[in-house]
Amino acid sequence: MTGEILFVLLLLAAVVGLFAWGKLRPDVVALLVLAVVGVTGLVEPAQALAGFSNPAVVAVAGMFVISAGLARTGVASFLGREVLHVAGGGEVRLVVALMLLSGALSGFMNNVGVAAMMMPVVVEIARKSQLPPSKLLIPMALGAQLGGFTTLIGTSPNLLAGDALAEAGEPELGLFEFTPMGVVLLGLGTLFVAVAGPRLLPTRDPSTGSTSDWQAFKEEAPLEERIFRIRVPEGSLLEGKTLEESLVGSALGLQVLAVERSSGPILAPGSETVLKGGDRLVVQGPPDLVLELGRGRHLVAESEHDPAEWLTSAEVGLVEVRVAEGSPLAGETLNQADFRRKTGTVVLALRRNDRLRRTHLQDLPLQEGDSLLVQGPRPQLQALAEIEGLEGHQDVHPRSALRAYGLAQRLTALRITEHSLLEGRSLAETHLGDAMGLTVLAVTRQGITQVLPDADFALEAEDILLVKARPEDLASLRGLQRLEVDTEAHVELEELESEEVGLAEVVLAPRSGLVGRSLRALNFRGRFGATVLAIWRQDRAIRSGLRDEVLRFGDALLLYGPWERLRTLRQEPDFIVLSGAMPEAPRTRLAPLALLVVAGALVPVVAGWLSIALAAVAASVLLVMTRCLTVEEAYRAVDWPTVILVAGMLALGAALNETGAAAFLGERAVAAAEALGPRGILLTLCLLTALGAQVIPGPALVVLMAPIALGASVEMGLSPRTLVLGVVFTATTLASPVAHPAHALVMAPAGYRMGDFLRLGGPLTLLVLLSVVVLLPFFFPF
């Protein structure tokens, strides 16, 4: 073993470890590997970067666009509805039809795209057939995965295997060369799921009626238990304020679902709805804080204070900075920029031309030329001068700041009373800042002032807080203390639905831009016009703290709002809408054209006149030119992380070949299984691949295992095609909800748990493994 081989093997082990660790995104791992391989000279720089121009990578990207074209023109969903209609309502017949249909579609479309497109269709069929979605969604996802093996373009691992064989000097794989074995696997998988599925899949109560969209949530999260009424008394300080100004939502952590008044209820009220005395608000959330607020006074005003003395200290100062022209901060809010956490400072005020903004700054988009008054520890203030996009850094005297920015009218001293609900809580837990619009600039305790206390600072009775707030926000806080709470009257969700307002369930799409961001950072309600009542994640419901909950792929959101706004979510690429009452017309008039384009691209591939990569590019361009897809839809259709993952991992595959590490591993595999003969070698490779698929993405796994299979074929004098295709057919996971996006998609809508996938997918994985070892040599002899 040479030093280069040892280094590559250690790098391979590190890559497997990083994939199993899961803290780094797979595409980031792939780029890291590419950099290591190129910088260390294991391969030439051009060879390390060659993955980005690899025909298989180009073909993968093109197939994403073709899949989107067939989905957007309604071709696939039409076929789905027709086939399922013919299948009837029996569970076994539906399972068979679903798996065969999703499998057939996956032969020509990306399997994750098939699962995303079929999911609303399956949920709708389940409702009409009075079957639990939990009996149908896993079979659909498994069919989509198995169907990817039926053609060369079915999945990216198939294309990568074809590329690996071509580079090894083998004849190119034909478009339908996978089909015989792929159809056998799809057929065996369908038969197994049809027989075992009814026994192994969980049963959830079928959802019916107008409340179907939230039935899955009700089982684990009875929303009615958290819905109650609060009454605005006559003469309340909240009278005449809008819902946004009243702070009912932000300060109390409540979702206002309806406003009941004598003239009639207002369902799904907007933030601009003006409150009146006597209004009863139907709200969802924890009632504890409202009840505590009503038990006494918690903050009282202190008249004698000098704000200038509280704004700075030996450690804390004030500076003014300006948002520069072309600044990356322009167009972002302070929340989106994560300004406070990244800089360790607080923006007290903003000057824009002749206008001053001193409160509620966190959600105001910054503009070029804005002047910001910033308070913070002096070292952090000095560091602001180095931040890209900020200029004009200068120190400001506190009294000058009070005059120039009119802060004196916004600064108030408040004392915490005995037995206040704030006593014993940290500043972060009180939500005085982002929720109530108050910024705590300093705290005085027993004559000692702490300027700019951190979020973990615990409050005590008799503490005096210097806060920055609008007088109207302080009035709203006093008004909140006098709200009357009625937690006894039961509220049914059906009471909150009408012809104009209702509930919808959506799932985050595979390439949603909302993943990794909180509802507050997204301004979700303002952007989409709907309120998030709950989030279903894996096997649990999240009903509190939703504003700051970071969204994850596969999350299902229960939304409440006007039907008009909910229907528009069908057009949002970030969501898959599961509610059947909100259909969006696909571009069906272009469906024949889309079919013609795709068929026109595949015919020359089958005839051997054109490579798959060029055909995929040509078809993608034609789909855009014929307006089956817009340019934006085409770009969004491509799963760029997958493209980068494949391109980056090809560099490691090249290093395995160039250094002889692949041949070395092939020799070791042969030595371990030589006594078992050719099938023993095939079993060893397939078993290693199946185990690796539990932690390594399929495309990356094929890139790693294909060179090893080729090395073993040379060592034993076996057909490279047989061993490489054995790797491909076992390079997928059927038993994990997190290792494949198709599984993650269906988890929330049916309320699946981790064990549900393992019970059915575990035996199916073993069946596929044994079938490949026994049957593959009949189609591709050794």
Side-chain angles (χ1 to χ4, degrees), residues 600-615:
L602 293 181
V603 167
V605 172
V606 175
W609 303 333
L610 202 61
S611 71
I612 291 177
L614 287 176

Side-chain angles (χ1 to χ4, degrees), residues 9-67:
L9 294 180
L10 290 174
L11 180 59
L12 176 61
V15 169
V16 173
L18 286 174
F19 281 133
W21 185 41
K23 297 296 183 182
L24 286 179
R25 285 174 36 155
D27 51 328
V28 174
V29 174
L31 289 176
L32 179 63
V33 169
L34 186 153
V36 171
V37 167
V39 170
T40 57
L42 292 173
V43 297
E44 294 295 322
Q47 197 173 2
L49 297 171
F52 290 99
S53 61
N54 185 283
V57 176
V58 175
V60 168
M63 291 313 301
F64 279 120
V65 179
I66 291 173
S67 297

Side-chain angles (χ1 to χ4, degrees), residues 289-298 421 480-483:
L289 185 54
V290 195
L291 294 169
E292 283 187 73
L293 273 174
R295 289 180 184 141
R297 302 180 69 190
H298 305 277
L421 64 85
L480 292 177
Q481 297 183 69
R482 292 169 175 80
L483 289 173

